[in-house]
Amino acid sequence: MSNEDAQVLSRFVTRMPEEYRVTDTPIAVPSRITRYGLSEVVNHLLALEKPRPFDFLVDGELIRGSLEKFMLSKNVSAESVVTLEYIPAVAPPTHVSAGESKDWLSAVDGSHPNFILTGACDGCARIWNTQGDCVVDFPVQPEALTSVSWVPGTSTQKHGVVTAGKDSTAKLWEFDSDQNSCKLLASFTGHTDSIEAIAVAGDGELMGTASWDSTVRLWKLNVDDSETVPTEKKQRTTGGASDANVTTTSSAEAILEGHTGCVSALSWHSAEEIFSASWDRSVRKWDANKATAVQVFSVPKAIHCMSVGAQGALVALGGAERSVRLWDPRLSASTTTTTLTSHTAWVSAVEWCPSNSYHLVSASFDNSVKLWDIRSQVPLHTLAAHADKVLCVDWHAGNFIASGGADCKLSIHKLQH
Amino acid sequence: MAKRSSSREATKAPASQKKEDDENYEVTELGMSSDEEHEFDDQEVEVMVPPNDDEEDEDEAEEEQEDEEAESDGHGGEDESDGEISDDVEFDEEEGDADEEGEEDDDGDGEGDDAVDDEEFMERMLQQSIDEDKGAAGNEEEEDEEGSDKGPAMEDAYDSQGSDSSDDERPQRNTVGNVPLKWYKDEEHIGYDKDGKRIAKSEKRDALDAFLARTDNKKEWRTVRDEYNDEDVVLTKEEMEMVRRIRRGQFPDVNINPFEEYVDWMKWEDGGKHPLSSAPEPKRRFIPSKSEAKKVVKLVRALRRGWIKMDKPKEEPKTYLLWADDNQIMEKNANGLTYIPAPKPQLPGHDQSYNPSGEYLPTEEEQAAITMLDESERPKFVPQDFDSMRQIPSYDKYVKERFERCLDLYLCPRTRKKRINIDPESLLPKLPKPKDLQPFPTTLCVQYEGHTGPVWSVSVDPSGQWLATGSSDCTVRVWEVRTGRCQRVWRVGYAAKCVQWSPDPSVRLLAVAADTRVLLLNAEVGGPDVREATAKALTLIKRESDKSSDALAVWSSWEGEGAGALSKGGLQLQQKHVVRQLAWHHRGDYFTSVAPMGGPFAVLVHQLSKQATQNPFRKNKGRVLRAIFHPSKPFFFVATQQHVRVYNLAKQTLAKKLTASVSKISSMAIHPQGDNLIVGSNDNKLTWFDMDLSTRPYKTISSHAHSIEGVAFHRSYPLFASCADDATVHVFHGMVYSDLLQNPLIVPVKILRGHAVEDHLGVLDCTFHPTLPWLFTAGADQTVRLFCN
């Protein structure tokens, strides 16, 4: 074969710190070299004490397989100098710990730097630490929980928690990390069917709930001062464990109507903008102040989960199909930009990495959690942590992946950066 | 004639001298007249009398005369023998000698006797000339050559020709009658006169006499011999003239003018002004002919229909395929012939040459391989090399191959088969491809596991969030559709054969058929308002006078034996018969229960709000198997074994009776628009009724291998499905058009497999998701599956 010894002139560049830079001179590398070979080359050039794996990008796409194959598929001439940008490779996530739940874990939120919040089908919310130990286990409702979320921007000891479930009420709790106790602060009623998703805006002011009654309701959270909850109907009930007053709010700040099916996912983009995804195969972007739909985007299948990227760049959608769709709401064309196909069953959860805008984690009914770099169509890593359907997944503390599923386990993986 | 008579008289005398005199006289006459003849006719000179010929004849005649004398000696002996043979003529012998010679003449002139006399010569000459001129007078020649067998008749003919005028005048001298003269050859008489005396033959002249007569008798040249009457006839001048005319080809009679003026009898003197007949012109001359018109019509029609073609006939190709196969040639030439030539055996190629090129010859290894092969596997012919044709041995397989060839030809019937090349695909109706009919359920997505017995019934709640199943393990379960989590379990005590969600969106309650009871369960799902409404609906209304013996069904509250505190129970309707099926009215207030063994109480309609039960039919025709409500109108469908009866509930009449022509109806579903009904049956048939069209099936689909257990329509998509005991679910595209003229379009789109057959049961029930093109199937393999698009 003539390609046996074909060589490609490559220039290695990086955005990493100075000590990881190599010479600008193009280096001839065999065209059949793979990522591992390239990584060895760079390591050799760097002469690091401890070799470091690198991933390589050409024109913003990760190299998977050999360089030759990649260039053929991208129609890059082998005679020109190829600029290879190298980035630190993502090592396979290591399994850190697994927490046992009593029932299926249907929701997980790892946005708190120290704790992981989960909701289970038995109606109990649990708060775990990173080591997989259950800190607090508090019954929320007799029905299954479908969504839980931390309320951001609270103090170091007292953390707000919102839960929602099949009993169509959302509840606001206060978690005291010192005492490891939870206190119900308020409940929000109004939905006529079970709530599927709950999301709290970045400033902690507004909470959105998405329900089977095809509506999205926005509620105002007043965690610090429950007395000033501006509601018309205030019902005072006595809390079970604590003597604190529990506010029941039945009137929502806004009702976003427009979906024709179950609204299954909800995600804040900014304090004013909220995305909702529905079984009616549409994604809507709402203006929270005006309570109107700004943008509507349709996909061919029902959507079960959604995650909006950090800068609102990309919306990842998972649903009643085997792939994750990426949609750029900034584009006028209402087509999905990328489809990430690797799962063999429904995708039950997707979540963008808060620390790396390229990374995405997805959970599926095929018992697997996959870590994607959207610069490549192939998943970076597949975590086979569960023995049954994975129902929820989230990032925790930047480099942990927490996932829960029908095997009642909270599985925590650590990602080495 | 006077001369003749004189000669006759002379011949009466036995003396030959007189006769000779006569002949001489005649000869002289002949000589004289010959000159005359020469004078008036030059043409005949050549033919008539070449003098040299005469001399030669004479010479010959002399010689032959001697012969004749010698013969005549022997004749006496012959006569004796003749006399011995025929006693009849014995008395004639005395005069026999005189006739002998004459007889001789008759016998054979070919031998050249002295009969080469002038008479005969003249005759011959005459005949020759006649033959030459006319070619029509063969009779005389025959007469001469064949002798006297036909003598008398021919002579008669001659006489009549020669002297037809004298026939009447002169009586026949010969009286023997019309018998061959040969019989009288040896006799001396030729008959008897009226006195009974013999009429003697005239004496035979010898050559000398003839010669003398020719020289003497001037009339000899025109004297002919009448053999029959045994006399010489001198032709008159008129007769000679007649002979001459005949020879020229003219009419014998001088008076006949062959070139008479032609008289045109049909020519009209006035130029055809007046026809021959004075009859008026017939009418038909003036009206067009009908028969001709008919003929014209026929021709025109034939032209129009192309029976008569005005095109030029096809030109036969002047060239032909020299090297083509016989088959090709036959195909072109034999138009419609049934004969099919036998295929020709292949011609020998280079490899079958006695001295083939080296590449055809097998190498030693190949040769060895061939010999290693089994007899049957060996190639039929292995190329061999010979130096000359002389060394080629006889082909050992000749007889065998010839026999096999004959056997092939004999055993292979060569008949012309009329094959119609129709693409079977083209006969099928053009159906859209399933690809274009998406979405429809294709892949298994969620499996709901937890039942421990065959799942008999599956139902989705109106929102599409919850799934209820009833199973033989005596439990009713509610599942979350998306995750497949079992949310509720009720132990109902009996196999739950039918589970139906109430279509009322304000409540979430389940109707369950378990043995003889119908349970109404609060599913405890949904929002608080829904739960409240459900709980309220399921509160038992207390009544004072409930006589359970009379009541069709006893309403009572049912305390759940469910797992966990959630299943609180609901209402219970105790019936007398095993309830097999339940169906809700679309408003969710009424529901019907079907107990096939119930007889007159098979179909009961229950009202939830009043908690009352009524029996709409006093008598049921046949065993009722299924009953459903119309999705919008007050119609009620009752399926018995083979018929579906449609009742108008408002008018309380039988509206229609649909005949499914199947063995036993097993399931029934109605299109959401209400005009189409599908019926599944135990004999594997799925029947589609277009109720606007007919009471007979619009389409019958026999795609399943075993009996159909359940059928379902999608509420919004044009989809329907059937599930059967062959563990498959067939999904069809069933588009119903709002245009009444357009028939529903039914396209099979997908066969869903995955369920297992257990105890001869496959998929027991199927139902569609209310909003999405998803299909739920309940199998006997204890699983419930969700198939998605």
Side-chain angles (χ1 to χ4, degrees):
Chain A
M1 291 288 283
S2 61
N3 289 350
E4 199 80 20
D5 304 309
Q7 297 214 319
V8 180
L9 277 179
S10 337
R11 181 187 294 123
F12 292 93
V13 295
T14 187
R15 293 174 197 169
M16 284 192 290
E18 193 67 38
E19 65 260 31
Y20 293 116
R21 299 235 172 112
V22 295
T23 172
D24 258 2
T25 325
I27 298 163
V29 293
S31 66
R32 300 180 71 190
I33 197 165
T34 56
R35 183 204 67 84
Y36 183 74
L38 287 168
S39 185
E40 276 186 330
V41 169
V42 173
N43 273 307
H44 179 73
L45 290 169
L46 289 171
L48 289 177
E49 291 178 9
K50 189 187 173 193
R52 236 191 121 158
F54 293 102
D55 256 325
F56 295 87
L57 290 162
V58 177
D59 297 337
E61 280 212 47
L62 278 176
I63 293 175
R64 289 283 175 272
S66 71
L67 182 62
E68 180 190 28
K69 211 171 166 185
F70 180 86
M71 290 169 77
L72 276 175
S73 67
K74 297 291 166 198
N75 259 338
V76 179
S77 166
E79 293 172 3
S80 58
V81 177
V82 180
T83 305
L84 293 167
E85 182 187 352
Y86 56 97
I87 53 170
V90 178
T94 49
H95 185 248
V96 176
S97 58
E100 288 287 337
S101 167
K102 284 177 188 161
D103 208 336
W104 294 15
L105 285 175
S106 57
V108 64
D109 187 3
S111 57
H112 194 279
N114 299 325
F115 299 102
I116 298 170
L117 173 68
T118 63
C121 283
D122 59 355
C124 290
R126 292 179 180 84
I127 293 171
W128 316 73
N129 59 16
T130 314
Q131 284 74 41
D133 303 323
C134 182
V135 179
V136 181
D137 181 352
F138 55 100
V140 176
Q141 58 188 41
E143 297 284 320
L145 290 176
T146 53
S147 188
V148 292
S149 178
W150 292 100
V151 179
T154 49
S155 64
T156 50
Q157 279 85 35
K158 302 200 171 180
H159 315 282
V161 168
V162 285
T163 60
K166 292 288 183 190
D167 69 346
S168 55
T169 9
K171 284 175 179 164
L172 172 65
W173 305 76
E174 188 186 62
F175 168 58
D176 191 338
S177 57
D178 291 342
Q179 299 175 4
N180 284 347
S181 65
C182 256
K183 189 173 70 176
L184 178 67
L185 292 183
S187 62
F188 306 88
T189 60
H191 279 294
T192 57
D193 212 334
S194 44
I195 297 171
E196 279 293 298
I198 189 166
V200 183
D203 57 359
E205 292 275 317
L206 274 177
M207 174 186 75
T209 52
S211 162
W212 262 97
D213 59 8
S214 323
T215 62
V216 176
R217 289 172 195 241
L218 302 180
W219 316 84
K220 206 161 236 181
L221 288 176
N222 285 64
V223 180
D224 295 331
D225 189 4
S226 61
E227 307 297 333
T228 60
V229 172
T231 51
E232 293 167 2
K233 286 184 187 175
K234 280 189 185 173
Q235 289 180 354
R236 299 233 162 195
T237 54
T238 50
S242 63
D243 292 326
N245 296 327
V246 177
T247 316
T248 302
T249 310
S250 59
S251 68
E253 192 72 14
I255 301 176
L256 309 178
E257 285 176 326
H259 282 293
T260 56
C262 157
V263 187
S264 52
L266 204 59
S267 188
W268 287 92
H269 173 223
S270 65
E272 288 82 32
E273 283 178 331
I274 186 167
F275 286 85
S276 67
S278 165
W279 283 37
D280 65 3
R281 297 166 300 192
S282 71
V283 182
R284 281 165 194 260
K285 183 181 171 188
W286 307 87
D287 187 319
N289 296 332
K290 296 177 189 166
T292 51
V294 179
Q295 207 172 354
V296 182
F297 170 66
S298 291
V299 290
K301 303 283 174 70
I303 305 167
H304 292 159
C305 55
M306 176 181 65
S307 176
V308 180
Q311 284 81 39
L314 279 174
V315 178
L317 304 166
E321 56 183 332
R322 294 170 175 184
S323 55
V324 177
R325 287 171 189 269
L326 301 180
W327 170 51
D328 194 339
R330 295 167 297 184
L331 297 175
S332 58
S334 57
T335 49
T336 44
T337 49
T338 321
T339 307
L340 306 173
T341 309
S342 176
H343 282 297
T344 56
W346 282 1
V347 178
S348 53
V350 286
E351 206 64 48
W352 287 102
C353 178
S355 60
N356 189 334
S357 59
Y358 295 115
H359 286 177
L360 179 74
V361 71
S362 69
S364 165
F365 283 3
D366 63 358
N367 309 351
S368 70
V369 174
K370 284 179 196 270
L371 176 65
W372 302 84
D373 189 312
I374 58 165
R375 293 171 288 190
S376 168
Q377 299 281 320
V378 186
L380 284 181
H381 300 291
T382 300
L383 316 177
H386 290 277
D388 207 339
K389 289 176 280 218
V390 188
L391 297 174
C392 55
V393 70
D394 198 10
W395 293 89
H396 171 63
N399 58 347
F400 287 94
I401 297 170
S403 61
D407 59 349
C408 313
K409 268 195 221 167
L410 173 71
S411 175
I412 302 171
H413 285 79
K414 190 181 181 189
L415 200 63
Q416 313 281 338
H417 275 298
Chain B
M1 293 311 290
K3 281 169 192 168
R4 257 192 203 185
S5 60
S6 68
S7 69
R8 206 173 286 162
E9 287 165 2
T11 52
K12 274 182 185 175
S16 60
Q17 283 287 343
K18 288 176 185 175
K19 199 179 180 180
E20 285 174 6
D21 292 340
D22 287 346
E23 285 171 349
N24 288 339
Y25 165 72
E26 286 176 357
V27 165
T28 51
E29 228 176 40
L30 184 76
M32 276 172 62
S33 61
S34 70
D35 294 338
E36 291 168 11
E37 196 182 347
H38 282 294
E39 284 169 11
F40 69 80
D41 197 351
D42 290 339
Q43 292 179 341
E44 294 179 359
V45 174
E46 300 170 9
V47 188
M48 273 302 290
V49 202
N52 293 335
D53 282 357
D54 277 355
E55 289 174 7
E56 282 177 11
D57 282 352
E58 285 172 7
D59 294 341
E60 286 174 7
E62 287 173 0
E63 291 172 7
E64 286 168 4
Q65 203 170 7
E66 295 171 6
D67 293 342
E68 196 192 36
E69 285 173 336
E71 281 180 8
S72 63
D73 294 342
H75 272 304
E78 280 181 17
D79 287 344
E80 289 170 10
S81 67
D82 277 354
E84 287 175 12
I85 291 167
S86 55
D87 293 341
D88 299 345
V89 290
E90 223 173 335
F91 55 95
D92 292 339
E93 284 180 356
E94 296 167 357
E95 299 171 0
D97 285 349
D99 280 336
E100 266 184 14
E101 290 175 357
E103 293 273 359
E104 282 289 322
D105 290 339
D106 292 339
D107 249 355
D109 47 1
E111 290 174 7
D113 49 5
D114 56 349
V116 191
D117 44 16
D118 290 333
E119 302 165 8
E120 288 190 327
F121 179 73
M122 263 308 295
E123 262 183 44
R124 206 179 292 165
M125 286 298 113
L126 281 172
Q127 284 158 13
Q128 276 180 2
S129 63
I130 287 165
D131 283 348
E132 282 167 10
D133 290 346
K134 276 195 172 181
N139 286 341
E140 284 84 352
E141 205 171 86
E142 276 181 317
E143 178 199 357
D144 285 353
E145 287 178 4
E146 293 178 11
S148 61
D149 282 350
K150 298 171 184 176
M154 293 304 121
E155 275 175 353
D156 280 345
Y158 177 76
D159 280 346
S160 63
Q161 268 187 8
S163 54
D164 48 351
S165 59
S166 65
D167 255 0
D168 304 329
E169 301 158 14
R170 185 170 59 95
Q172 294 282 346
R173 187 168 165 259
N174 190 337
T175 56
V176 295
N178 194 11
V179 293
L181 281 178
K182 194 170 69 177
W183 294 356
Y184 286 87
K185 189 178 78 178
D186 299 335
E187 304 297 332
E188 287 185 346
H189 64 283
I190 53 169
Y192 301 89
D193 60 7
K194 62 181 179 182
D195 301 327
K197 292 183 179 171
R198 292 179 176 176
I199 301 168
K201 283 181 179 175
S202 63
E203 199 172 336
K204 181 75 184 171
R205 292 191 301 186
D206 56 359
L208 186 62
D209 292 338
F211 177 70
L212 288 174
R214 198 156 55 208
T215 51
D216 296 345
N217 196 352
K218 286 184 179 177
K219 292 178 183 172
E220 182 65 21
W221 68 275
R222 49 189 177 109
T223 306
V224 291
R225 173 83 185 164
D226 183 357
E227 289 289 339
Y228 183 70
N229 291 321
D230 195 21
E231 61 184 4
D232 290 328
V233 181
V234 178
L235 299 178
T236 61
K237 281 198 175 177
E238 291 76 23
E239 285 169 339
M240 283 308 297
E241 180 59 21
M242 199 181 289
V243 166
R244 209 172 285 125
R245 286 179 72 86
I246 290 170
R247 284 174 56 192
R248 282 185 201 149
Q250 295 167 337
F251 283 101
D253 195 344
V254 184
N255 299 323
I256 296 173
N257 180 12
F259 305 109
E260 267 185 281
E261 287 263 324
Y262 172 67
V263 180
D264 190 358
W265 298 101
M266 299 301 285
K267 190 182 177 190
W268 302 329
E269 288 172 359
D270 56 355
K273 196 173 175 183
H274 299 291
L276 285 178
S277 156
S278 63
E281 286 269 303
K283 187 185 173 184
R284 63 173 179 276
R285 300 257 171 95
F286 303 102
I287 56 173
S289 161
K290 283 182 179 174
S291 61
E292 282 178 1
K294 273 183 187 171
K295 279 180 190 168
V296 169
V297 163
K298 265 188 186 174
L299 285 173
V300 167
R301 187 183 299 148
L303 278 170
R304 279 189 187 153
R305 297 191 181 173
W307 298 334
I308 299 177
K309 282 177 181 165
M310 305 299 283
D311 302 335
K312 279 183 187 174
K314 259 191 184 174
E315 278 190 14
E316 288 292 319
K318 286 174 185 171
T319 55
Y320 61 92
L321 285 169
L322 182 61
W323 302 109
D325 271 353
D326 283 1
N327 292 341
Q328 293 175 7
I329 292 168
M330 279 303 293
E331 274 172 23
K332 283 186 178 172
N333 294 345
N335 288 330
L337 285 183
T338 50
Y339 170 71
I340 304 164
K344 284 193 169 181
Q346 215 172 5
L347 292 172
H350 289 299
D351 55 335
Q352 294 182 41
S353 163
Y354 77 96
N355 190 10
S357 316
E359 65 261 29
Y360 292 112
L361 289 170
T363 59
E364 281 183 15
E365 293 167 6
E366 286 170 354
Q367 193 76 49
I370 288 167
T371 47
M372 288 292 286
L373 280 174
D374 190 56
E375 185 76 35
S376 59
E377 293 171 349
R378 251 178 243 175
K380 278 191 177 174
F381 180 80
V382 180
Q384 276 179 287
D385 192 14
F386 299 101
D387 290 336
S388 64
M389 293 190 82
R390 210 163 16 92
Q391 294 172 330
I392 303 171
S394 64
Y395 186 47
D396 53 344
K397 292 173 193 162
Y398 177 79
V399 174
K400 197 185 171 200
E401 283 189 359
R402 205 35 48 148
F403 172 72
E404 282 174 353
R405 165 83 177 158
C406 290
L407 210 58
D408 285 348
L409 296 180
Y410 167 64
L411 289 177
C412 166
R414 293 186 303 282
T415 52
R416 207 173 284 275
K417 282 186 181 169
K418 278 200 175 179
R419 181 182 291 169
I420 308 170
N421 278 326
I422 298 177
D423 186 14
E425 296 294 320
S426 67
L427 294 178
L428 291 172
K430 287 271 177 283
L431 286 179
K433 285 179 183 171
K435 198 175 67 183
D436 306 330
L437 299 174
Q438 282 176 336
F440 52 83
T442 52
T443 45
L444 171 68
C445 288
V446 185
Q447 203 160 330
Y448 305 90
E449 282 169 350
H451 276 297
T452 54
V455 186
W456 279 100
S457 179
V458 64
S459 176
V460 195
D461 88 302
S463 68
Q465 186 182 5
W466 303 104
L467 182 73
T469 55
S471 164
S472 287
D473 61 0
C474 307
T475 59
V476 174
R477 286 167 191 256
V478 169
W479 314 79
E480 192 189 356
V481 166
R482 186 176 80 90
T483 56
R485 179 185 159 78
C486 178
Q487 203 77 11
R488 302 271 183 278
V489 181
W490 289 273
R491 301 195 194 287
V492 292
Y494 301 93
K497 285 293 178 86
C498 187
V499 177
Q500 290 294 329
W501 284 96
S502 164
D504 186 357
S506 65
V507 293
R508 288 284 182 280
L509 64 87
L510 271 170
V512 179
D515 199 56
T516 59
R517 300 178 299 173
V518 175
L519 302 175
L520 295 168
L521 305 175
N522 185 353
E524 301 272 352
V525 293
D529 302 344
V530 172
R531 290 173 198 231
E532 202 176 317
T534 311
K536 195 181 166 191
L538 292 181
T539 314
L540 186 68
I541 299 170
K542 300 269 182 190
R543 292 173 204 191
E544 292 95 36
S545 57
D546 253 1
K547 302 237 172 167
S548 59
S549 56
D550 295 349
L552 298 164
V554 179
W555 292 69
S556 60
S557 61
W558 181 74
E559 290 305 317
E561 310 157 24
L566 288 171
S567 351
K568 285 175 184 166
L571 289 173
Q572 169 186 324
L573 286 85
Q574 181 68 49
Q575 294 189 14
K576 290 171 185 164
H577 303 281
V578 178
V579 180
R580 180 64 186 83
Q581 190 236 342
L582 298 168
W584 283 90
H585 186 256
H586 62 95
R587 289 216 183 97
D589 192 17
Y590 290 93
F591 67 96
T592 181
S593 64
V594 176
M597 306 302 284
F601 306 105
V603 183
L604 296 179
V605 175
H606 315 276
Q607 190 179 7
L608 180 62
S609 57
K610 291 180 183 169
Q611 300 189 357
T613 300
Q614 49 180 312
N615 184 6
F617 308 112
R618 276 191 203 144
K619 206 172 91 181
N620 286 308
K621 291 168 183 170
R623 180 188 287 187
V624 179
L625 298 168
R626 287 286 183 275
I628 52 173
F629 288 94
H630 191 278
S632 53
K633 292 174 190 162
F635 285 109
F636 189 53
F637 297 82
V638 177
T640 54
Q641 303 253 16
Q642 287 158 6
H643 302 282
V644 179
R645 291 183 172 80
V646 187
Y647 294 97
N648 189 332
L649 292 176
K651 295 179 186 170
Q652 302 203 331
T653 51
L654 175 67
K656 271 194 183 83
K657 183 182 168 192
L658 310 175
T659 308
S661 52
V662 294
S663 68
K664 189 183 169 192
I665 290 172
S666 65
S667 52
M668 178 166 59
I670 187 157
H671 191 266
Q673 285 169 13
D675 287 334
N676 294 277
L677 186 80
I678 49 172
V679 168
S681 75
N682 276 3
D683 53 356
N684 319 346
K685 283 183 191 162
L686 177 67
T687 318
W688 176 293
F689 288 97
D690 190 336
M691 283 180 283
D692 289 337
L693 203 68
S694 155
T695 57
R696 309 288 303 176
Y698 163 63
K699 280 268 155 63
T700 301
I701 302 161
S702 306
S703 56
H704 281 291
H706 288 285
S707 64
I708 293 175
E709 292 285 346
V711 290
F713 264 113
H714 198 281
R715 204 180 284 178
S716 50
Y717 285 94
L719 289 173
F720 66 97
S722 64
C723 57
D725 282 338
D726 55 0
T728 63
V729 182
H730 294 193
V731 183
F732 301 88
H733 176 91
M735 176 63 95
V736 175
Y737 300 95
S738 53
D739 181 9
L740 286 175
L741 291 175
Q742 203 164 1
N743 281 331
L745 173 72
I746 299 171
V747 186
V749 289
K750 185 75 184 172
I751 297 177
L752 301 172
R753 300 171 204 278
H755 281 287
V757 179
E758 284 204 2
D759 198 17
H760 307 294
L761 294 175
V763 187
L764 299 175
D765 196 9
C766 63
T767 187
F768 278 100
H769 192 273
T771 54
L772 294 164
W774 295 355
L775 181 70
F776 299 91
T777 57
D781 54 353
Q782 308 176 359
T783 62
V784 180
R785 289 164 198 243
L786 165 60
F787 292 93
C788 295
N789 57 328

